[in-house]
Amino acid sequence: MDSDDTAESTLRHRTSSRLQDCCIGATPLQKRIESVRKQVSFVPTPPRRKIPQCSQLQEDNDPQKVAFILHKQWTLYSLTPLYKFSYTNLKEYSRLLSAFIAAEKQKGLAVEVGEDVSVKVTFSTLLGMKGTQRDSEAFLVQILSKSQLPSENREQKVLWTGWFCCVFGDSLLETIPEDFTCVPLFLANGAETNTALVGTWFQKTFDCHFSPLAINAFNLSWMAAMWTACKMDQYMAATELLWSVPCSPQSLDISYAIHPEDAKALWDSVHKTPGEVTQEEVDLFMDCLYSHFHRHFKIHLSATRLVRVSTSVASVHTDGKIKILCHKYLIGVLAYLTELAIFQID
Amino acid sequence: MSPQKRVKDSKAQKRTSQGSDSYQTNFVALEEENLNDSKCSLKHGQDNPMKDYGHVDDEAEDDLKRAMRYFEKGPVKTSQMKDKTLEKHFRTVENVAWKSGLAPEGIDILLNVALSGKFGNAVNTRILKCMIPATLVSEDSVVKAISWLCVGKCSGSTKVLFYRWLVAMFDFIDHKEQINLLYGFFFASLQDDALCPYVCHLLYLLTKKENVKPFRVRKLLSLQAKMGMQPHLQALLSLYKFFAPTLISVSLPARKKIYFKNSDNLWKTALLALRQRNQGPPPEPVKLMLGPANVRPLKRKWNSYSVIPVLNSSSYSKEYGKKGMALSDYLSSNGSFPLEQLKSFPQLLKNIHCLELPSQMGAVLNNSLLLHYINCVKDESVLLRLYHWLSQTLQEECIWYKVNNYEHGKEFASFLDTIIRAQCFLQEGFYSCETFLYKSLPLWDGLCCRSQFLQLVSWIPFSSFSEMKPLLFDHLAQLFFTSTIYFKCSVLQTLRELLQNWLLWLSTDIHMKPVMDSPLESTLSGSMNSVSELIHYVGWLSTTAVRLESNNTFLLHFILDFYEKVCDVYINYNLPLVILFPPGIFYPTLLSLDSSILNQLCYIMHRYRKNLTAAKKNEFIQKTKLQFRFSTKTYQEFNHYLMVMVGCLWTSRPFQKGLYIDHEVLEKAGVVEYKSSLNLVHHPALLSYAVSFLLQECPEERVSMSSIRGKKWNWYLDYLFSEGLQGLQLFIKSSIHRSSVPTDQRA
């Protein structure tokens, strides 16, 4: 094989196609690179965001499923677009994923005799879990244990749950062709080995890639501000922020709990633009908290690292774990998480 | 192996095994064996013409023959020579074994030797360790070997090793009926505590339904009662339970993972090679089969093997699509070509229209054939899949993203190497790498994976420089200025490669489209702008670096290397671009103390001249297409540099224009007579040449430097040229009319 020759000929071919790209400048890949350049060159996050609102679409969602999602701790992942995923094949996927999990669980065993597949996988859509009509439909994957005795058949125990969603993912959708399904945010609850199995199957089947989604202190303070700004009928929990001081031998955690109404009052005092949150407001809000703390304890919290934010809306940890508490602002919380996930996969 | 041949083989073996009393028989048997040996190998190395094979390996075979005979005869008593010969023969056998494996007959002989206890334990062990079959192990040899075990001539450790060997080679034994008949014997060996795990494993491989008998079950259970829950016993028991569930009432923990100890690890690499031999020639594109393949034991619960996914064709996803597929899709996909079968380039060409793509596009990185495919594929989704996977993987693997996580540095470096090799193969950079650079450069310390990182920079796809500058080159400049001179040099080298890649890409581009349509014109001038911005950027970096490093020669070399590319853009790449170096580079090189720098400068000036004259000529000819007329400023700049050089080196009238130095200053410095001090004789870089020239001419006399003039001046020039200053020669030839001997040489 004369690789030089072929390399050259392919090079020529390729350059010609690239040349066209240059003129027209509109291939998906080109668009991606443009968007990445924009992202990197400007401040990583837009300086202003909307305060989470109750979404219209949310009305159609199944209250049972929403209840199922609330009050659970989810581990966050970002996910690149799924190639050739089809919502019409969910049943088939259930079957294949069950088989895959069963096969993987038996791998490496010298003997595993006469045992039936003990798990069952179900795929189902989560209607209404999106921001705009263009967003891909969210869907849920569950691993259920099959009980051995037929009498117990009714009650299947949920071993693991994961769901995929895209809320206001326009920036990603614009640059991705139709072959792909964009569900950049993946949330999992259950044993990590199961997450790994499901993730591996998805990666192999739809040529996508999962990455853990960590949330840095910068974004955590945004969340603290935005969620404090949410109007609540009744507060379920105190607003609590947790800072970590890296010192040996054990790190020191500083917890800062505020009565939610006080927090809201503070927010209202720094907040100017109605319906929106700006970077200045976030900074100011946090600075107020810092200076208050410093007055009492003579500790500069700004020198430590914010690791957790808990409010009545949701509670989130820097290592990518979230618990959503409030039904009303579910979509708003997911929209911000989707934004972070898209930023990570770009 | 054909059945006929096997009959013959086994006859030969019988004779060998019987023949320890007769030297002659042995020899005949061995002759025959070698014959078979070569036939055997021939069958597998299909491409070798028969004659060649015989000749090449003649000698080696003789050695092997002798070695075998030696082992078969048993140890020689005269101990002086013994160790040496033993070692020699061992080496022969081991070489052959690890290289191409031993023929069934060889295995037969050696097994015999190892288990008969003719030699000591150490020798036996060594023999067993190198018993790697070329293709197969004959059942007879195994049966014979087992019969030796009954005699009790070999030690426990040899027995263990033998069983391990047997388990490892189990798949390569040609028949197993006879061995299965010895089931009872093996089963009895379970008694031996040391052998038990290995025998269990062997039995596990060997057991058929009819072997499961109540008395054996009882025995196993009693063993288990005695030794406790041993994984190997459990494995065997559960196999028994599978065959005869009624016989075993004990419940076995079904959930527990039951492993055998990996007993074939001694021969693992050899076995891999063996498998490949048996399956025919390995796939052709070994060149790019580089990746870290399957060596990634720890870490990563998800992608357990390697960063780069394994190549699998996408039949998987096709299956799903089936329901909704249109008829035409179905027909077109019907004859699709599975990737696993793709071995050669012609195959790729033949099936390029119906190739099944890998289920994970990242797998192409390790496969040169698929890289070809990726290179010419029109389907954007293919490229997007690769883009996403690569971007994410780079981000995840990148070690300076994680605090204090440098333990995977080697892995990351080798991953980058794989990517770079793929890019070199394609002669094109991946977009994912570009975005990776944008994101990671601000965090890079300039040390970690430096060479890989810089190579990635050199493969950035061509695009607008001004757009990339704030994202990439500004950060690079910061690192550049604050790092060592070596870093500076490697950055300059990288930028030179980047320039070259861009130029190559642009030049092929223009050849493709000789007709310049209006949108293309703007694109081309835009492209030229981008290239010139890159060159100006490097000029700026270099000027500052020269000052920072106080005219370091090493650095100047790298800078001039860059300009050697720049000066030839018009001729070499047929692109309308001539950019001169900034004064901050020109003067330090002209005044450098190093002759090679001066020489290189002369060469570059010579090439600039060629390029500019060629450009001018073309402008004359093609008056219609003048959109790329070089500004007169370029010519003026060049002429200025040229005059300065000629003034310094040749006419001894330096710095006539543009540079004024106060006479007082010169007086203070004690160089009032400075005019000739930069000519070819007195220039600090050439002074030593002048001295050795004079010494060569008239070694005895005391002559002054200024004596080099007139005829001698010409001789001196020839001397300089003969000393390897080719650049100077080209420069003088093209820029100075030598017929007129320099006017001012009095000084």
Side-chain angles (χ1 to χ4, degrees), chain B residues 344-407:
Chain B
S344 67
F345 191 69
Q347 251 179 336
L348 174 70
L349 289 184
K350 217 184 284 167
N351 298 295
I352 200 150
H353 60 288
C354 59
L355 208 60
E356 258 178 34
L357 288 172
S359 61
Q360 285 173 283
M361 212 38 90
V364 301
L365 275 193
N366 270 337
N367 187 311
S368 57
L369 287 174
L370 283 178
L371 282 177
H372 278 308
Y373 181 76
I374 287 287
N375 206 13
C376 61
V377 72
K378 281 269 158 88
D379 186 0
E380 277 288 336
S381 64
V382 168
L383 302 175
L384 261 178
R385 284 160 70 189
L386 183 64
Y387 170 85
H388 280 135
W389 172 80
L390 193 53
S391 306
Q392 291 296 291
T393 313
L394 278 168
Q395 222 175 100
E396 220 159 80
E397 294 291 307
C398 180
I399 43 177
W400 57 89
Y401 273 12
K402 306 157 202 162
V403 185
N404 298 331
N405 187 10
Y406 279 61
E407 54 192 303

Side-chain angles (χ1 to χ4, degrees), chain A residues 287-300:
Chain A
D287 284 344
C288 289
L289 292 177
Y290 291 152
S291 60
H292 177 75
F293 196 83
H294 183 249
R295 200 160 45 235
H296 288 285
F297 302 102
K298 301 282 173 276
I299 292 173
H300 289 286

Side-chain angles (χ1 to χ4, degrees), chain A residues 1-4 6-23 27-30 32-34 36-42 77-81 83-84 88-89 91-93 95-97 100 105 107-116 118 172 175-177 179-180 186 192-193 195-201 203-212 342-346, chain B residues 204 234-236 238-239 241-242 254-260 284-285 287 301-305 312 316-317 319-324 344-346 357-362 368-369 372 374-389 391-393 395-396 425-429 431-432 434-435 438-439 442 461-464 467-468 470-471 504-505 508-509 511-513 519-520 523:
Chain A
M1 181 176 76
D2 191 351
S3 60
D4 280 357
T6 47
E8 197 189 332
S9 65
T10 44
L11 173 71
R12 270 159 190 266
H13 182 105
R14 182 106 183 93
T15 48
S16 76
S17 72
R18 274 276 280 279
L19 191 67
Q20 285 159 11
D21 301 349
C22 273
C23 302
T27 69
L29 210 52
Q30 223 98 35
R32 306 275 322 129
I33 211 94
E34 287 303 315
V36 172
R37 279 202 192 135
K38 260 181 224 149
Q39 257 191 16
V40 180
S41 48
F42 301 117
Y77 294 86
S78 67
L79 176 64
T80 62
Y83 180 65
K84 294 251 157 117
T88 56
N89 290 335
K91 263 215 175 109
E92 181 74 355
Y93 297 154
R95 195 177 63 76
L96 287 161
L97 183 53
F100 176 80
K105 291 213 160 164
K107 204 194 229 173
L109 294 185
V111 191
E112 186 94 357
V113 181
E115 221 190 356
D116 257 344
S118 62
L172 180 65
T175 59
I176 298 294
D179 282 347
F180 294 89
F186 171 65
E192 212 201 320
T193 49
T195 310
L197 282 176
V198 173
T200 309
W201 184 79
Q203 292 190 159
K204 280 189 178 159
T205 313
F206 305 110
D207 203 0
C208 54
H209 191 93
F210 289 81
S211 323
I342 291 176
F343 179 72
Q344 181 159 301
I345 61 174
D346 257 332
Chain B
Y204 184 78
Q234 264 178 31
L236 194 54
S238 37
L239 185 66
K241 190 172 181 176
F242 175 70
R255 286 261 144 241
K256 201 181 168 206
K257 290 185 179 176
I258 305 164
Y259 290 110
F260 283 109
E284 203 193 10
K287 224 184 346 176
K301 282 173 208 153
W302 285 46
N303 312 311
S304 41
Y305 299 113
N312 277 319
Y316 227 23
S317 50
E319 208 175 297
Y320 309 141
K322 246 173 208 162
K323 274 179 200 158
S344 67
F345 191 69
L357 288 172
S359 61
Q360 285 173 283
M361 212 38 90
S368 57
L369 287 174
H372 278 308
I374 287 287
N375 206 13
C376 61
V377 72
K378 281 269 158 88
D379 186 0
E380 277 288 336
S381 64
V382 168
L383 302 175
L384 261 178
R385 284 160 70 189
L386 183 64
Y387 170 85
H388 280 135
W389 172 80
S391 306
Q392 291 296 291
T393 313
Q395 222 175 100
E396 220 159 80
F425 182 78
L426 294 174
Q427 287 291 299
E428 183 178 7
Y431 280 122
S432 323
E434 188 183 333
T435 56
Y438 292 159
K439 289 185 172 188
F462 175 77
S463 63
S464 157
E467 251 176 68
M468 269 192 280
L471 305 177
L504 267 174
W505 186 77
T508 40
D509 227 28
H511 287 305
M512 288 299 295
K513 302 249 164 161
L520 209 71
T523 317

Side-chain angles (χ1 to χ4, degrees), chain B residues 131-167:
Chain B
M131 287 226 295
I132 297 146
T135 50
L136 292 170
V137 178
S138 91
E139 189 186 19
D140 281 348
S141 327
V142 177
V143 171
K144 257 185 291 167
I146 293 162
S147 68
W148 276 115
L149 295 184
C150 305
V151 183
K153 284 217 170 178
C154 51
S155 68
S157 64
T158 312
K159 274 188 199 168
V160 167
L161 194 59
F162 171 71
Y163 274 110
R164 289 174 66 184
W165 178 83
L166 203 54
V167 168

Side-chain angles (χ1 to χ4, degrees), chain A residues 242-256:
Chain A
L242 192 75
W243 281 270
S244 160
V245 185
C247 59
S248 62
Q250 266 183 320
S251 68
L252 180 71
D253 286 342
I254 299 171
S255 162
Y256 188 163

Side-chain angles (χ1 to χ4, degrees), chain B residues 544-591:
Chain B
T544 317
V546 165
R547 258 183 285 157
L548 281 174
E549 301 291 342
S550 41
N551 304 340
N552 184 293
T553 310
F554 193 60
L555 181 71
L556 283 175
H557 267 298
F558 279 87
I559 294 170
L560 290 183
D561 278 348
F562 180 81
Y563 281 99
E564 244 182 81
K565 264 277 112 63
V566 174
C567 67
D568 254 343
V569 171
Y570 188 83
I571 291 181
N572 280 356
Y573 301 94
N574 200 10
L575 293 172
L577 190 76
V578 181
I579 295 177
L580 288 165
F581 29 44
I585 302 301
F586 174 73
Y587 288 104
T589 43
L590 178 61
L591 303 178

